[in-house]
Amino acid sequence: MSLAERALNNAAIRETAKITTPTWMLNSLERVMEYYTERHLCLDTQACDTMPAPMPGRKYMLYAHVPFCHTLCSFCTFHRFLFKEDKARAYFHSLRAEMDMAKALGYDFEELYIGGGTTTVLVDELAKTIEHARKLFPSIKQVSCESDPLHLTSMEFTQLHGLVDRLSVGVQSFDRDILARTDRLEKFGEPEVIYEKLARAKENFPILSVDMIFGFAGQTQDVIRKDMETLVRLAPTQITTYPLMVTHQTRKSAKGTLANNDQDIARDYELILNTLNGHYDQMTAWSFGKKADQSFDEYVVNYDDYLGVGSGSFSFLHDTLYVNSFSLRKYQEKIAAGKMGVESSKYYNEKAVMQYRFLLNLFGGRLSKSYFKDNFGKSLWGGLTKEMAFMKATGGLIQDPSDPDKLQATPNGLMMGVLMMKNFYAGMDNVRAELRRPLKAGDM
């Protein structure tokens, strides 16, 4: 499905959004998602040391992971290490070498997404890596890159002007108390300083996306409203606002000190929808844009297949998940030996892949009947009877009046998309935690 096809028809939420799904039903959905994530996102992988070749006619996205940060946020569960310049420079060299190996397999990519960690720990190496990728893969139409507020206005950051099409900046909140609670006030400065840096960065990148989190302790509806109103004034190209995810890895630090344990997530989400309504189009359940046909953080919605390079990266190719080594040492050794960083894989049967695509399409706000028929040989009701019955019972989907092939998510459906993706990402974070657990000092 194209980006334009995924763009939401906002008529269903132009009026005041109202989430009517009962709390008990949303809680039940979360329990079901926890069951499926534990069932499917478990470490029963097979040893693997190579990626498959690309299939003719399929579109691919390239993900590159940079696992270094100057400081480690307590609520973050992504794969990262404390920054050391010598290790980081050697790592970027390996990252480019692994891209060469993907090219040798016959891959070309339409988009490059660089995540972390903090991708901009070494801007010169990052710029060199983007230039290398664009040369290797001439079909790349857009480069997306994550960053944090610290680096936005440094002189070296100008190296990325003209190279990065979409810059995604993790802000989380403009509330001073929440920034202090999450240790971000000391790291990145006062809210007013962050705001000014974002305003300046907005002039230098075609797309500036600001990432926010809701669900922190002390984050009342008034705080959420003020955050959204601040974003409306700032007017970045895109906004991503997602719920705080408490995982096995962060349960002690986040649930005890950071998370709002009494949060009414449906009311918070409803407030976000209504505050941004009229200022932004909805792109996914938690992404909003000035234009609805642009790429966004959740690249898995745009691409059925993506290949990951770098330590701790994941790939999903055709019907199989591939996992790169989480040990920095082992990753470097594999690349030095002329091998890609992958070390394990997990095959998924057709039903599991169909459920995965259903999750992503619901999160994307629209489901194409023909997509499921063409890719699985089954209708939505034929292949996903229970899932579709639940959507009907909760009023989660309606027929798109302008396209007989599309089902469109209502506010109820978008709320379920938020909860399902939240639990999916929490499950992935738990997998990362398990893969990092065996690492010793020599692996980092």
Side-chain angles (χ1 to χ4, degrees):
M1 222 183 299
S2 71
L3 283 171
E5 288 175 320
R6 290 192 187 277
L8 302 190
N9 179 343
N10 288 278
I13 57 173
R14 277 299 180 200
E15 298 180 3
T16 301
K18 189 69 177 175
I19 296 169
T20 60
T21 308
T23 300
W24 70 264
M25 199 171 277
L26 295 176
N27 291 340
S28 297
L29 175 64
E30 290 220 71
R31 288 194 292 271
V32 170
M33 277 301 299
E34 287 172 4
Y35 166 78
Y36 277 109
T37 53
E38 288 178 4
R39 177 181 174 183
H40 292 308
L41 297 177
C42 54
L43 297 177
D44 55 346
T45 55
Q46 302 294 317
C48 177
D49 60 5
T50 187
M51 294 283 191
M55 289 185 177
R58 294 182 78 103
K59 297 179 180 180
Y60 296 90
M61 198 276 308
L62 177 63
Y63 174 81
H65 192 70
V66 180
F68 299 100
C69 289
H70 292 289
T71 58
L72 306 181
C73 296
S74 59
F75 58 86
C76 178
T77 56
F78 286 100
H79 177 54
R80 73 267 197 263
F81 305 103
L82 279 172
F83 172 72
K84 293 184 179 178
E85 184 172 346
D86 57 338
K87 288 188 176 183
R89 290 200 181 278
Y91 178 83
F92 273 104
H93 183 273
S94 296
L95 202 59
R96 294 190 288 271
E98 192 172 18
M99 289 179 180
D100 291 339
M101 297 177 205
K103 176 71 173 181
L105 283 172
Y107 280 95
D108 198 359
F109 302 100
E110 291 192 345
E111 185 174 337
L112 168 62
Y113 189 100
I114 307 166
T118 305
T119 65
T120 49
V121 286
L122 290 172
V123 176
D124 60 330
E125 291 287 355
L126 176 61
K128 189 184 301 184
T129 301
I130 294 172
E131 289 170 342
H132 187 68
R134 283 192 179 276
K135 183 177 179 180
L136 281 177
F137 308 113
S139 294
I140 289 178
K141 301 180 182 70
Q142 180 168 283
V143 175
S144 297
C145 186
E146 296 175 358
S147 187
D148 60 44
L150 187 66
H151 301 87
L152 290 182
T153 53
S154 66
M155 284 300 298
E156 62 177 6
F157 206 76
T158 59
Q159 296 177 62
L160 301 181
H161 298 173
L163 286 179
V164 172
D165 304 293
R166 179 182 175 278
L167 186 69
S168 177
V169 184
V171 173
Q172 321 318 356
S173 178
F174 289 103
D175 184 80
R176 194 178 191 280
D177 290 342
I178 290 173
L179 292 176
R181 189 190 298 269
T182 55
D183 297 325
R184 295 177 67 85
L185 188 66
E186 182 179 351
K187 295 175 188 176
F188 304 126
E190 296 288 339
E192 296 80 8
V193 174
I194 296 172
Y195 185 97
E196 289 303 320
K197 286 185 175 183
L198 291 168
R200 291 168 62 185
K202 190 174 67 168
E203 305 302 319
N204 296 318
F205 296 92
I207 299 174
L208 177 71
S209 178
V210 177
D211 298 349
M212 309 290 281
I213 293 177
F214 63 102
F216 287 118
Q219 197 173 30
T220 64
Q221 287 219 318
D222 188 50
V223 170
I224 293 173
R225 183 183 293 103
K226 287 179 179 177
D227 271 347
M228 295 302 107
E229 290 172 349
T230 299
L231 287 173
V232 169
R233 287 197 305 275
L234 178 66
T237 324
Q238 294 179 1
I239 298 168
T240 298
T241 176
Y242 55 92
L244 179 67
M245 298 171 200
V246 179
T247 68
H248 298 327
Q249 188 178 359
T250 64
R251 192 167 300 277
K252 184 176 180 181
S253 62
K255 193 169 185 179
T257 60
L258 297 181
N260 179 359
N261 298 321
D262 299 319
Q263 181 191 24
D264 186 336
I265 190 171
R267 297 291 78 80
D268 288 350
Y269 182 59
E270 190 179 271
L271 172 63
I272 290 168
L273 289 179
N274 288 319
T275 309
L276 296 180
N277 190 9
H279 302 284
Y280 285 86
D281 289 333
Q282 188 139 18
M283 300 167 66
T284 70
W286 65 46
S287 297
F288 306 82
K290 291 294 187 182
K291 295 181 179 180
D293 59 348
Q294 297 171 330
S295 293
F296 37 82
D297 281 350
E298 286 70 47
Y299 52 83
V300 293
V301 177
N302 284 342
Y303 292 91
D304 287 351
D305 301 287
Y306 58 92
L307 186 147
V309 293
S311 173
S313 66
F314 293 90
S315 306
F316 195 87
L317 300 170
H318 316 137
D319 55 12
T320 303
L321 178 72
Y322 297 89
V323 184
N324 274 22
S325 175
F326 273 62
S327 164
L328 201 58
R329 174 182 58 81
K330 289 181 181 178
Y331 174 76
Q332 297 282 39
E333 290 173 354
K334 287 175 73 70
I335 301 301
K339 299 178 181 178
M340 297 189 78
V342 62
E343 65 177 14
S344 60
S345 66
K346 179 181 174 70
Y347 165 78
Y348 289 95
N349 62 30
E350 183 180 76
K351 181 60 177 286
V353 175
M354 196 173 187
Q355 289 174 325
Y356 173 59
R357 302 299 182 208
F358 176 81
L359 158 65
L360 297 180
N361 279 260
L362 178 63
F363 177 78
R366 298 181 79 180
L367 285 84
S368 164
K369 301 171 190 176
S370 60
Y371 170 85
F372 285 88
K373 192 71 174 178
D374 293 345
N375 283 275
F376 302 101
K378 300 175 183 177
S379 69
L380 278 164
W381 276 98
L384 298 168
T385 306
K386 292 180 180 178
E387 290 83 352
M388 290 301 293
F390 183 82
M391 287 295 112
K392 183 175 181 180
T394 57
L397 293 169
I398 59 173
Q399 178 64 52
D400 186 334
S402 64
D403 189 342
D405 180 52
K406 302 295 190 301
L407 296 174
Q408 180 180 313
T410 64
N412 283 355
L414 293 170
M415 179 71 251
M416 287 181 272
V418 167
L419 291 178
M420 291 169 72
M421 189 62 89
K422 169 179 173 277
N423 281 274
F424 173 75
Y425 278 151
M428 292 296 290
D429 288 345
N430 290 333
V431 169
R432 290 188 188 96
E434 288 301 309
L435 291 168
R436 286 179 61 88
R437 196 182 306 280
L439 299 184
K440 307 297 182 184
D443 291 305
M444 302 181 187

